[in-house]
Amino acid sequence: MSRYDAQGRLELADRIRKTVLPERGQIPMFVYTDPDVYELERERLFGSTWLFLAHTSEIPNPGSFVVRSMGEESVIVGRGDDGVVRVFLNACRHRGMRLACEDFGEVANWRCPYHGFTYGSRGEFMGTLMGAPFERSAYPEGLDRDALHLVEARAEIYQGLVFATWSRSGPSLDEFLGDVRWYLDLIVGRAEMEVVGVPERWMVPTNWRLPSENFTADAYHTATAHSFLSRLGMVKGVDFGRDGYHVDPGGGHGLGIGVHFDGESYFPAELAEEYATRLDGGQAQTLARVKNLHGNVFPNFSFLIPNFIEIEGRRVSGAMLRVWQPAGPDRTQVWSWHLVERGAPEWWKRLGRKMYIQTFSSSGMFDQDDTENWEAQTRSSNAALYRQEEFLLHYGMGLDAPPLPPGEFPGPGDVYDGKFSEAAARTYYRVWRNHVLEEVR
Ligand code: FES
Ligand code: FE
């Protein structure tokens, strides 16, 4: 099948409809790495859904910008002198050259490196063609500036998180996030947060959905895949990922909250007042019990409070964000941000940085374990693409388990007692299936 072959598309849609059955706890492995599935995703998922791009602390000033991706398309995320954050396709309207070649910067305008078309980077002129070299002689009839405006995406911000979509008519960001906002607040809304340094990036030979799904719903792997961390004394016991809650907030988003039973909050006492002013009672009460928290905003934006570890005799964790950037059916560019409370005490910032490096980063021990699994799953899937029979995977954990009755947990969504469940992974694949079959717009 090619993307231009209508018959092939119909056959693929039919296969997806018949075999992607999360309602029964069944996912076929071909969807992990099939190149035709990837083509569908590029067009129907990454071409229309909200995608996380940056934290506002990365673009603090008028003229600040960072270069990010929506699917495989490069985009510029910039702040105008009116304070508004706007997102543009990073492609010149003359011949499509990449306009911003740096990863980030601060400019008065963007000048195309090929022939020099220059676009405004400020306020209402952001994205407007301001001029071209030798304009009067090269274009004596003039240039239509409206027609040559940079292609702009719809951008919105939630708690400092900048998202954008190519869809002109779909849901607002608030509607899209829905109940996961309550939980995102625990990571990025608990205090004024700022990104430490610049995001790290590295390539992993995996399909982008495997880590996304892991962060959505997989607390179960921690006892096996990360068991040696307990032997090293980094975490207490191999069951450190069991106690807590599994949450399906709807929309394909998902998360798990690990709790402790020590009474006192693990977070710094110095920040308690700021947390209390920014979180509601139920959120503050939940944060005080957190020892880890992992989750994913559909489709590929993950968030994390790593399991608290001890460094220099103090308990420390932090806040992290991830984007699993697709770079082909079996390649993913990992983007990893470490955030910290701007007003945090010096020890929390310093040890938090060490925690980040040791746990979840390009050199992190958790990441090494996880990457090994995602890579091998990807190889299995690539090999299985040549099998005659469908290779079906088991997504049935907790299929019949009911969520807690309303009122038993302060947060919204379907909340399950204990972190071992695949409920949110099933919703993830229901929403995914609807997108690639174009039932969601
Ligand atoms: Fe940008 Fe020609 S491609 S000016
Ligand atoms: Fe893991």
Side-chain angles (χ1 to χ4, degrees):
M1 193 201 84
S2 92
R3 55 181 310 199
Y4 302 110
D5 177 344
Q7 183 57 32
R9 277 255 163 133
L10 284 176
E11 283 167 18
L12 178 60
D14 196 47
R15 187 178 176 197
I16 289 172
R17 209 171 279 118
K18 284 188 178 137
T19 57
V20 178
L21 300 172
E23 301 79 357
R24 292 191 210 159
Q26 174 188 307
I27 302 295
M29 190 154 64
F30 83 91
V31 299
Y32 283 174
T33 58
D34 187 306
D36 295 331
V37 169
Y38 183 73
E39 284 294 313
L40 275 186
E41 287 176 326
R42 286 185 73 173
E43 177 190 322
R44 298 182 181 178
L45 182 57
F46 291 97
S48 70
T49 196
W50 285 100
L51 298 165
F52 171 77
L53 298 176
H55 187 261
T56 46
S57 65
E58 296 179 86
I59 38 172
N61 307 317
S64 308
F65 73 91
V66 290
V67 172
R68 298 288 145 87
S69 295
M70 293 173 68
E72 290 196 32
E73 286 187 308
S74 177
V75 292
I76 302 173
V77 184
R79 184 188 289 278
D81 52 10
D82 52 1
V84 177
V85 173
R86 297 179 180 85
V87 175
F88 301 101
L89 195 61
N90 188 12
C92 175
R93 296 302 303 268
H94 181 224
R95 289 290 189 280
M97 170 60 186
R98 188 167 279 214
L99 205 53
C101 297
E102 312 86 341
D103 289 339
F104 58 90
E106 211 167 292
V107 289
N109 49 49
W110 289 299
R111 187 164 186 273
C112 179
Y114 197 175
H115 311 91
F117 273 32
T118 299
Y119 299 83
S121 71
R122 302 240 155 156
E124 61 185 295
F125 296 112
M126 261 177 106
T128 304
L129 179 65
M130 306 303 281
F134 314 107
E135 193 170 334
R136 280 205 201 131
S137 57
Y139 300 101
E141 69 289 0
L143 284 165
D144 181 346
R145 298 190 193 272
D146 285 343
L148 296 174
H149 198 282
L150 291 181
V151 176
E152 187 166 358
R154 226 171 108 207
E156 287 185 30
I157 298 172
Y158 180 74
Q159 294 281 29
L161 306 175
V162 181
F163 287 77
T165 173
W166 296 117
S167 167
R168 308 280 160 218
S169 56
S172 68
L173 179 61
D174 272 337
E175 286 165 342
F176 166 77
L177 293 173
D179 285 343
V180 81
R181 288 173 299 173
W182 193 92
Y183 300 95
L184 278 174
D185 291 350
L186 302 179
I187 311 267
V188 286
R190 66 188 190 221
E192 189 188 346
M193 305 298 285
E194 62 183 3
V195 172
V196 180
V198 294
E200 272 190 289
R201 284 170 294 174
W202 64 95
M203 296 299 296
V204 175
T206 181
N207 176 270
W208 66 272
R209 236 181 299 109
L210 298 172
S212 307
E213 180 201 309
N214 174 287
F215 273 67
T216 302
D218 199 333
Y220 187 50
H221 77 287
T222 54
T224 305
H226 303 306
S227 62
F228 90 91
L229 297 177
S230 82
R231 290 200 287 278
L232 283 178
M234 276 180 82
V235 293
K236 255 193 227 152
V238 291
D239 59 352
F240 69 95
R242 184 183 53 187
D243 293 328
Y245 303 93
H246 178 83
V247 184
D248 177 357
H253 320 306
L255 64 135
I257 305 174
V259 298
H260 62 77
F261 302 95
D262 293 350
E264 290 269 295
S265 171
Y266 285 1
F267 288 86
E270 296 93 320
L271 291 168
E273 205 178 309
E274 187 174 5
Y275 293 166
T277 58
R278 287 176 178 255
L279 300 175
D280 72 25
Q283 288 173 318
Q285 187 193 328
T286 304
L287 189 68
R289 297 179 64 202
V290 162
K291 67 171 180 181
N292 59 57
L293 193 158
H294 62 86
N296 186 67
V297 171
F298 185 84
N300 66 335
F301 169 46
S302 293
F303 51 89
L304 182 72
I305 297 175
N307 199 77
F308 273 81
I309 58 171
E310 266 192 29
I311 302 180
E312 296 178 18
R314 300 193 85 148
R315 223 185 245 135
V316 65
S317 180
M320 288 174 40
L321 305 175
R322 284 277 167 98
V323 166
W324 313 102
Q325 193 68 54
D330 52 10
R331 272 168 73 78
T332 297
Q333 183 175 41
V334 184
W335 283 73
S336 176
W337 291 258
H338 171 220
L339 288 87
V340 74
E341 293 86 344
R342 196 182 288 268
E346 194 277 329
W347 70 267
W348 175 256
K349 288 187 176 178
R350 187 172 58 82
L351 299 183
R353 187 72 180 152
K354 283 193 172 179
M355 174 282 310
Y356 169 73
I357 292 164
Q358 279 183 31
T359 58
F360 290 90
S361 67
S362 54
S363 60
M365 294 212 244
F366 282 85
D367 264 292
Q368 319 254 335
D369 296 340
D370 290 326
T371 304
E372 185 89 10
N373 291 303
W374 302 331
E375 207 179 313
Q377 283 175 282
T378 298
R379 278 202 302 274
S380 295
S381 175
N382 275 341
L385 292 176
Y386 298 91
R387 289 182 67 83
Q388 293 300 312
E389 283 170 32
E390 211 66 85
F391 190 97
L392 302 174
L393 298 161
H394 187 268
Y395 277 65
M397 191 191 296
L399 195 57
D400 300 318
L404 287 168
E408 292 265 310
F409 182 83
D414 284 346
V415 180
Y416 299 84
D417 197 9
K419 288 180 76 188
F420 294 170
S421 170
E422 287 164 355
R426 288 188 287 272
T427 304
Y428 182 93
Y429 268 101
R430 273 210 309 277
V431 173
W432 178 86
R433 183 185 59 197
N434 290 346
H435 267 280
V436 295
L437 297 180
E438 273 198 318
E439 284 155 20
V440 170
R441 263 292 170 264

